[in-house]
Amino acid sequence: KVNVVRAQVTASQPNPYDSVEELFGCWQEAQRADKVAEGLLRIRTILDLEFYDQISATLKEVESTSSLLRDLYDLFPIYRSRVPIIIYYLNVILPSLYKTMKEMTLYLEHENLPARGQWTLMSDRLSQQGGMTLAARFVMYVELLVQLVRLLSR
């Protein structure tokens, strides 16, 4: 599916806005969000109820992030004329989203840490970086992505 849509975008007409890179960026970050969601689900299953609500809140927002990135990916070829507006905002959000999920992945894939250590270290350290919980950070990502989908498809 990735190659088909990407080929349609590039083959139908040359795009002066180089949207294929951002289009592919949306797809890559959606895949990364899926991996993060799998890791969160794994540690939520292992841990006791003490962390269930915190992990669930973060998991819900990570899954929403993935879904919205895929929506953008699917809408790019349809609403080609609005792509330049969206690209500006994607250049703002994608690097931050990438950094957050990359750091989360480091904790989630750390084999020497027990699940409790993975969650508490990841949650504490990443919350210190932005001064908000991981769930709150992903709420902001989701809200921006919702607006981008609306802006693109209006």
Side-chain angles (χ1 to χ4, degrees):
K1 183 177 175 183
V2 174
N3 293 333
V4 172
V5 174
R6 191 171 181 194
Q8 289 173 347
V9 170
T10 56
S12 61
Q13 63 178 258
N15 193 342
Y17 306 108
D18 194 26
S19 64
V20 174
E21 186 176 322
E22 283 77 11
L23 178 67
F24 190 61
C26 286
W27 184 261
Q28 285 180 312
E29 294 312 312
Q31 287 182 314
R32 193 178 326 276
D34 289 343
K35 288 181 183 177
V36 167
E38 286 174 20
L40 289 171
L41 188 57
R42 179 185 53 78
I43 62 173
R44 185 182 73 176
T45 303
I46 294 170
L47 293 177
D48 53 2
L49 294 176
E50 178 184 359
F51 299 107
Y52 188 86
D53 290 338
Q54 296 171 355
I55 296 172
S56 293
T58 305
L59 177 61
K60 175 184 173 245
E61 299 305 327
V62 169
E63 289 172 336
S64 295
T65 298
S66 175
S67 176
L68 288 163
L69 287 166
R70 289 188 201 304
D71 289 347
L72 280 171
Y73 177 85
D74 291 339
L75 291 171
F76 258 51
I78 299 168
Y79 299 101
R80 201 180 297 249
S81 64
R82 296 187 192 119
V83 167
I85 299 166
I86 302 304
I87 287 175
Y88 171 79
Y89 295 106
L90 285 176
N91 285 327
V92 171
I93 190 174
L94 289 181
S96 175
L97 185 59
Y98 167 80
K99 183 179 184 289
T100 299
M101 289 193 296
K102 182 92 169 156
E103 290 177 359
M104 290 176 76
T105 302
L106 291 174
Y107 290 103
L108 293 170
E109 292 180 350
H110 197 289
E111 295 174 4
N112 295 331
L113 282 175
R116 182 183 191 93
Q118 290 175 340
W119 171 253
T120 55
L121 285 173
M122 177 180 63
S123 179
D124 291 345
R125 291 186 180 161
L126 294 180
S127 294
Q128 289 172 2
Q129 287 179 1
M132 64 181 70
T133 65
L134 276 173
R137 187 184 301 193
F138 275 94
V139 165
M140 289 190 341
Y141 290 140
V142 166
E143 290 302 318
L144 179 56
L145 290 170
V146 164
Q147 297 308 318
L148 290 180
V149 168
R150 287 180 181 161
L151 182 61
L152 184 60
S153 61
R154 67 178 167 103

